[in-house]
Each structure stands twice: as C-alpha cells, then as structure tokens.
C-alpha cells in the first residue's frame, strides 16, 4: 500500500494528500478583532495561555488558496484550489507569542486532510472574498486607497462570519502584519469503547512554514461579525471591537512540524 | 411589484437580476478549436450560417467572473462571483462575422437568469481555472512564457471540458484575440398544451457590450477536449484540432441588446 | 434545432427540459402560517387579491422531488432529483380561492427551467427535510403520532427558512390538506434598452396538475420561521403565528397551463 | 476543552462528531461485482488476504444515510443526512471471512470525520440513488419485480461509479445479503519531517455494528462500472463481471471498535 493519508492504495495516487512538500499560494482578506478575553481563553488547549499583552486579540482570515506538491497539481484546479476561513487568537507558549487556531473551515477534502495532519481542526464551509481585477471597475475594487473587499463564510447553510476591509495604504514592512507562529493541537480519537476518552493522537504542535512570503500587502480599516449558528462556537468569542483590515498575497511551503508537547506519551 | 427578473417582489431586492447596468470583470483562459464543420453548422439557429472563411472554428472560454450593478454587489462575493464555461463558433449574420454560443455553463443562479435574458442558453456547471499569484511558485504558474494554466468544466458530476494553455508571448494588440460580436437566441417556451411548439420568445439577438476592455493578454499553445456525457451535446462538436491558447482579463458592461430577427413577430 | 427550453441543439437532448409530460413524485413537509396580511398582499400581482376569508394565511412547503418525463429519467438521479422550498399565500382570482407563490428555491437547473416556464419564480437554494426510514430509530422518526420532522432552506449561505412538524394523526381525507390551485406569474424581461420595463412575457397563469395524488398524509403541529437575509424578502412576510404541520407524499403530472390574463397582449 | 473529534471547544458542540453512540438509518442500492483478483489483492493491507473462496468478489454500495446521536440530530437534516458510495472486497482475517473497504466517498464533513475514526478512508464525493415513492409512477420505480434503480458517484467533477439494479424478488432471509464484518485500517500520519513514513495511527480494526437491521430487501440483477478518473484508483479494480443487485433499508449503531493488529505498537 502506498500513500501518505487515507486512502492508502496500490499506486498511491488516490490518497487525499501525498507526503510533503505542500506548496501554497493564496490571497488573504483579514480583519483584526478583540474577543472577550475569557471567551478566547476558554478555547485554549493545555499548554497555552492568553497573551497577557494582547488578551482577546485575534485575526479572522479568509484565503483563496492554490496548492501544489511536486506535480503541478495547480493544473487540475478543481482539486488544487480551495477557500478557507479561520480565526487565530494571540497566545503564549512559555514566553513565545504564538497564534492559536480554534476554528477553521475549507471547501475541499484534500485541504481538510492536510489540515488535520497539521493539527488545524478543519470543517467544511463555504467561503468567499471579493476579488480584484486590473480592469473592470465598477465590477471590481481597485487595490488602492478606498478599495473595499468583502468576505463571508457559511457552514451547513448558515452564515458564520462576515468581514469587510477598506484599504488605506500599502504595508511597507510585512512584519507589520504580525503573523505569529501558529500552534495547533493534533488530535485523533480512539473508538474502542473503554478508551474513547484517551485520544490516539493529542499533541501540541508548532507549524513550520518554509519560504514564507507576502506580496502587495495593504492595510486599512476592518469590520467583522460572527453571527450565531447552532453547532458552531465562533459567536461565543463575543467580538468587542475590530481593528485593522488587511489584504495581501501569501505563500509558503509545508515540509515539517515540531511537537511541543505530546500528551499521549 | 418591483424587480426586473423573477421573482418580482414588494421591495424589488429578491429578484435574481436588477435592471441593467450589469458590470463584469473576469479572468479568461481560452483555447481555439476546429470542430467538425457539419457538427458546428448543426448547432446554428435560423438566420446564421457557418463562417465560410473559418468553417468549424470556435473558442472555448473559461472565465472567473465578478459582477456588480450599481450597488457594489462585489462586496457580497458569495452572490457576485461565478465561474463560467462556454463555447463560441464562428458564424455569419448576413455579411457580418459573429460568434454563436451554443452551450454555456455557470455556477450561479443570478448569472443564469441574466444569461437567459441575453439569450445565453445557460445551464449549471462546475468550472475551474488555474489562478496566477504574484508569489508562490511552485504553487502557481507565472504569467510569463512557459506559464501553464488548466481549466475544467463538469455538469451533473461528469467532466464535459478540459483545457490547458501554455503561455508564449504577450498579446500586444487585443484585436488579435479576435473577439467577435456574439449572437444569441433568446428563447422562452409556452406551456399551454396546444402551443408548446410556439415559443413566447424566439429572437436572434446581438449582444451589446459597452466599455469592452482587455488587459494582460498572453497567447500560447492550447489543448482542449470535450469528453462525452449523457444529456450534453458538446462532444458532438468533434474537435478536429486545437489552435492557440490565451489568458487575459476581460471587462465590459451590459445595458442593451439589439434584436436581429424576431421569429415570433 | 431541437428541444423545448434552452439550449436548443441538434439532437435535442442538451435542453434543460423537454416538452411535457413532466411527471413528479415527492415527499412533503409543510407548515401553515399566518403572515402579516399587508405584507402578504404586497406580494400579489395585478389580478389577485388576498383571500378575504383567510387574509395572510399561507403554507411553507419543503419537498424532496423526483422527476421523469417519458424516458425513466429517474435512473439518472443526479439530474432527476431535487429539493424544493416554497411558500404559497391564500389569494382570490375573481371568486376562486387560489394559492399564489411569491418565492421558491430549488437545487437543480432543470427544475429551475421548468419552473420559470410554469411561472414559478425559482432561485437556487439548499433545502433539506428529515427523512423517515422503516427501521433505524433513534436515527429516524416514525411516521406515527409523535414523529418529528425538521426542514430547512438556505440561499447564498444564509438560512432563510426553518420548520418543524410533530405528527399527531393520519389525514383521512386529503382534501383536508387544502391544496388550492396555484396561480403563477410567467415573466420574462426584454433587454433592449428602451423596453426594459416592458417584459416580453408577463401573464397570470393557472397551474394545471394532472393525476394529483396524495399518500400517507399525517397532520400535527407546526413551527416555522423565516430568518432575515439580505437579497431575500421572505422575512418581510412577518409570520404572526403558525398552524398545522403536515407530512405526506405528493405526485402529479404537468402537461398544460391556462392563461388567466396576458398583460403583454 | 470538550468534544470527541476536532475541533475541541469550550462547549463541545462545535466538534464534527460527538462521542458515540452513532445511530444510522439508510437506504441501500448495491451491486455485486468480480474484480480482477490481482487488482483486488493489491488493495489489501498487511494482515488480510483475498478470500480464496471468492477471489475478487466485492460489493459496491450506494447509501442515503440519516444519522443521529442522542439529541435527535435528524431534526437538522442539513447536517444529519449524507450520501455515501463505497466498495468492499471479500477478504480473510486469519480464517474469518471479512469485507475490506479500499475506497469510500461521502458528501458531509461529519460523516468524513466519523469515518476516519472508524478507519473508513473517506473522501468527498457526490452520490445519488433513485428513490422509491408509494405514488407517482412514472416518476418513481415501484419496489416490486421489474422496479429499476440507478445510482452514481462522482469526485471532483468526474464520474467514478455508475450502477443499475432491476428488482426480481424479495429477500426472505437478510443473511442472503452476505453482509460480512467490515475490516478497516485506521491510519493517521505524522508530519515531523523525519517520521513522515511512521504513521501515528496504523492499525487493522474490526467494525462493531450494534443492532444491525435490514428491511424491505429485494434482490435482482445488477450492472456496474467504474469509469477511469485521474486521482482515483477504483477503475484499477478492473471489473470482470457483475452479479446480483440489491435494494434494502439498513440500520445500525456504532459504539465500539475492535483492534485486530496495532502496527504502531
């Protein structure tokens, strides 16, 4: 049997995801927000605490992704493209400022499988963001001061997030985007009756992103809401206020991951 | 009752499409092809003949569209964006070279409604094209010589078209794209038993596209196939060979339409 | 060119809908409601008035349909099945009690096309209803007193209707379901600039349903809400209270339609 | 943090699947087939061999499922219902005849998550089967001799399976359906660079199905094909001939699983 994720198979081409490298290029619409700190803290796994400097601060990101491994997978865009919405919250791993991802949604099974392996707790969702074209106003915003971008996410036919960004100025230094290292919880349950409360995999991990690049970054103002929806807990974050909005291109490669704590050991 | 298309309603916001203007910005992956001339001719409505200079020549276009009317509809991308695949065939209306659209697929009901009103015979389909990002190789092609773009269309779970374009050089003069004026057949049936063969609307029309613009056009080589699928007749076009491939941005506005022949008059 | 709806084509198999007969079998979850009478009246086309005996009374219906014409189309269920949600409001055509359909949603392009031809103002939506199996409790309700059925509809990623029915007793006489004759407005716009306010088709029509049959009908209590959603006007009906709930199978055939008033004549 | 699968969360309602019990009710269309034995054997994990009595024999099953845990989840059918297509192949675990599932497709993220935990290697797919209604011919087959049912599955816009069953007679003894115990491979990779070939979870498991019930079972003739599709390996099974076709209702509950061999121990 060959392959990396399920299904393992004779030729190893049916699997949802091959062994890395996993290369990504995406366009991001993002809005900063300040959640109720107690609600944000309640989402944290053992091992992380809220960042005391920015308690409740987080970012909502909507990304139109294209993926490839080593085979120009982008030439089959029905499989290689997907839309993603996720939230990160500022946290601390010991003294290190990190970003914790409690909730994330994609519209593609391969992206869901890769995400689970990385520790991203992906569910399916329907995600959209305004696109910019070099011609075509008024059917497109300009990537320029005043340009406006909307973004939405839905799960099971219910809207779970809505954002709007109005650009003000280019971001000269991408460090201003404050992209923290992401910490995830890899988790995979056992099903044997007497061990259902003892997951087979349960480890705090640090995402390793190679060749991280940002391009054409703009900052401005941001609006964001998480409408209440049964079966989801995003709205519990109880947004107190929003901060900056951003739009930029993002790229990186995944080939590795670092375990911080293995709770099953 | 207010509104332009169905449903007409008290406030006129539920309708699938408002009264024009309809503004469009899109990214196009296109491949020239030469169909069996007899098969191409068989798709033509009364009033059109095959272009005797290019019998069987046509273009397959895959477009990622964004739409707006007068209200920044692009800020609700779940409604304003759609993917489209269609085919045009070279034809003549009297002495005028035109493009006839026999088959077209979109993934959005508002696009389907606007299309029907224009005479585009839209059905639902699932359509994808490779996207180019300014960073992120090898997850993205470059818009440069050698850059490759795939495009696919499916209907009811069956693949109906697959294309690939390899860029060679920029297109200095967009006229080289040979975008002919599009002629459609507006058609809407009657259901009263004795008049089901007498459509209520059946008229040959010329699309009027205001402010047509093309940007960042590249040409290269093209590959294209129309796999056979029950309930579809694309494969009957029986592609003999393919020609150039293109990738470019396209924008225009629809506010009008010209009737060439009204067959119900 | 052959076919009934678009696209007309050489073999006449690509068209969204063939010439009738159109046969339907479906399972219905329905809830009676009482809208704000003024809001209900505001949805009526010229020629209809609210039923003075039941002002504001209506029914919300969720139907899991299977369609066939003369070719056992049900053997290709990816095309032949669809889910539908619609609302009817009690109205009068002269002295005849009728049901007017202001809003309707389906998840299938052929159903949308047939609907438009009938005058049903169909948009795309995502519609679900609880299903009953003869075995499998607690994963299924029983079709028996106390059995509960949920039903939901969403459009563009937003929930637009939610219903719940709790069965109490079988319905001995299907006339108790009070299925009124349905009156629709067939409407198809013109796009020529100076005539966009003069639709090509605009006629009040009476649906003709042959061989109407009802089976296994149960009645009970009903709950219903129309959550507010941009781009939709269902919530404007402003439900005051709900009435009975129903679950039953429904079948009929469409071969004809009767014009009540042709406003374009 | 509460919950069973990802995402773990403060209230434990966002998780894709709760701790069992998982109750299921479904309607099955199934076709027996005989694959190339070598191709069937190539899909087997270590620990299983082809059943020497029926080498290459398998079953393709299309199921319309409804799921509930302890909270009447079926009242939210947008989440609780899903469509599934999978294949089993006759195998032996030591001397026990079992069914091995190499490939399986669903259209619901919660079903995908529960499946992974059980060892079903689920991917997303679009799956449909003809439905039977008690009224409505010719829009429905009868559950009677001669009744015909179609079923199809697609992944990423390509058809991967098509089946047809023609009923002949009821199945008096459901044991005739030859439902073997299912053996799966629970598999979850590691991502740390040096251990990507050492999965975190890799164990052969026996599915435990409580309260298994079958109802209204009919048998007849079956037709089946697995069209070739890039990124899938179903077609490699190279069907030599098909056997009986079946249609029946199926129900069971999952609360446990038995590990046969843990390859990571």
């Amino acid at each position: 049997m060959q392959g990396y994720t399920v299904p393992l198979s004779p030729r190893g081409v049916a699997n949802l995801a091959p062994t890395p490298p996993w290369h990504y290029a995406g366009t991001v619409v993002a809005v900063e927000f300040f959640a109720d700190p107690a609600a944000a803290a309640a989402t944290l796994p053992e091992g992380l605490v809220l960042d005391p400097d920015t308690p409740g601060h987080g970012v909502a990101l909507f990304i139109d992704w294209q993926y490839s491994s080593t085979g120009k997978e982008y030439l089959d865009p029905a499989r290689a493209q997907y839309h993603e919405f996720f939230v990160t919250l500022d946290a601390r791993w010991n003294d290190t400022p990190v970003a914790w991802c409690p909730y994330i949604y994609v519209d593609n099974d391969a992206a869901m499988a890769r995400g689970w392996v990385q520790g991203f707790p992906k569910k399916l969702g329907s995600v959209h963001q305004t696109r910019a074209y070099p011609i075509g106003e008024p059917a497109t915003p300009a990537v320029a001061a005043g340009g406006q971008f909307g973004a939405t996410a839905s799960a099971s036919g219910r809207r779970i997030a809505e954002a709007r960004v109005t650009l003000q100025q280019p971001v000269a230094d991408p460090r201003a985007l404050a992209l923290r290292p992401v910490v995830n919880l890899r988790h995979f349950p056992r099903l044997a009756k007497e061990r259902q409360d003892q997951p087979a995999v349960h480890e705090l991990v640090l995402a390793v992103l190679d060749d991280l690049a940002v391009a054409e970054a703009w900052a401005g103002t941001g609006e964001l809401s998480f409408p209440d929806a049964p079966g989801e807990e995003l709205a519990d974050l109880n947004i107190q206020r929003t901060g900056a909005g951003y739009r930029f291109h993002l790229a990186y490669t995944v080939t590795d991951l670092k375990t911080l704590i293995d709770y099953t050991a």
Side-chain angles (χ1 to χ4, degrees), chain A:
Chain A
M1 301 183 95
Q2 298 188 59
Y4 177 67
T5 65
V6 295
L8 302 181
S9 61
R11 287 194 284 131
V13 305
N15 64 173
L16 281 164
T19 305
W22 301 335
H23 303 291
Y24 295 93
T27 302
V28 183
V29 171
V31 176
E32 269 191 301
F33 65 90
F34 295 83
D36 170 2
T43 72
L44 296 179
E46 194 182 339
L48 295 186
V49 294
L50 272 202
D51 190 322
D53 292 346
T54 54
H57 180 262
V59 185
L61 300 104
F62 303 79
I63 312 188
D64 282 3
W65 283 117
Q66 190 163 271
Y67 154 87
S68 271
S69 183
T70 57
K72 286 199 178 177
E73 282 79 356
Y74 61 72
L75 291 175
D76 188 2
R79 290 181 187 265
Q81 293 178 349
Y82 63 104
H83 304 83
E84 184 171 85
F85 160 63
F86 67 109
V87 165
T88 63
L89 295 167
D90 291 2
R92 286 274 176 99
W93 156 250
N94 296 331
D95 292 334
T96 308
V98 299
W100 159 249
C101 172
Y103 308 116
I104 179 167
Y105 300 80
V106 293
D107 58 1
N108 176 292
D109 55 358
M112 193 161 146
R114 292 190 307 264
W116 282 37
V117 170
Q118 294 175 278
F120 283 106
K122 292 188 181 180
K123 299 170 70 167
L124 290 183
S126 177
V127 183
H128 295 82
Q129 68 172 255
T130 301
R131 189 163 166 177
Y133 297 84
I135 50 174
E137 288 184 79
T140 179
V143 183
Q148 286 190 299
F149 294 78
T152 61
S154 298
S156 297
R158 290 174 169 284
R159 187 60 47 93
I160 57 172
E162 297 197 340
R164 188 169 299 186
V165 169
T166 304
L167 306 185
Q168 291 178 320
Q169 69 285 321
V171 176
D173 181 354
R175 281 174 296 184
L177 297 174
L179 295 170
R180 292 164 170 237
V182 173
V183 170
N184 286 320
L185 184 70
R186 269 171 51 94
H187 174 86
F188 194 76
R190 279 197 182 87
L191 182 56
K193 199 172 209 163
E194 67 286 1
R195 302 188 70 186
Q196 289 169 3
D197 58 351
Q198 300 166 35
V201 177
H202 194 77
E203 51 177 333
L204 206 64
V205 297
L206 179 69
V208 178
L209 305 183
D210 304 335
D211 302 325
L212 185 70
V214 168
E216 298 177 14
W218 280 72
T221 57
E223 301 165 57
L224 181 68
S225 65
F226 297 149
D228 194 24
E232 308 297 339
E233 299 182 43
L234 264 166
D236 295 6
L237 289 176
N238 195 5
I239 296 175
Q240 312 289 302
R241 63 187 176 88
T242 56
Y246 299 98
R247 188 202 182 249
F248 56 97
H249 301 294
L250 176 67
Y252 57 75
T253 292
V254 171
T255 62
D256 196 3
L257 160 150
K258 186 176 170 204
T259 297
L260 300 179
I261 315 180
D262 184 346
Y263 291 105
T264 64

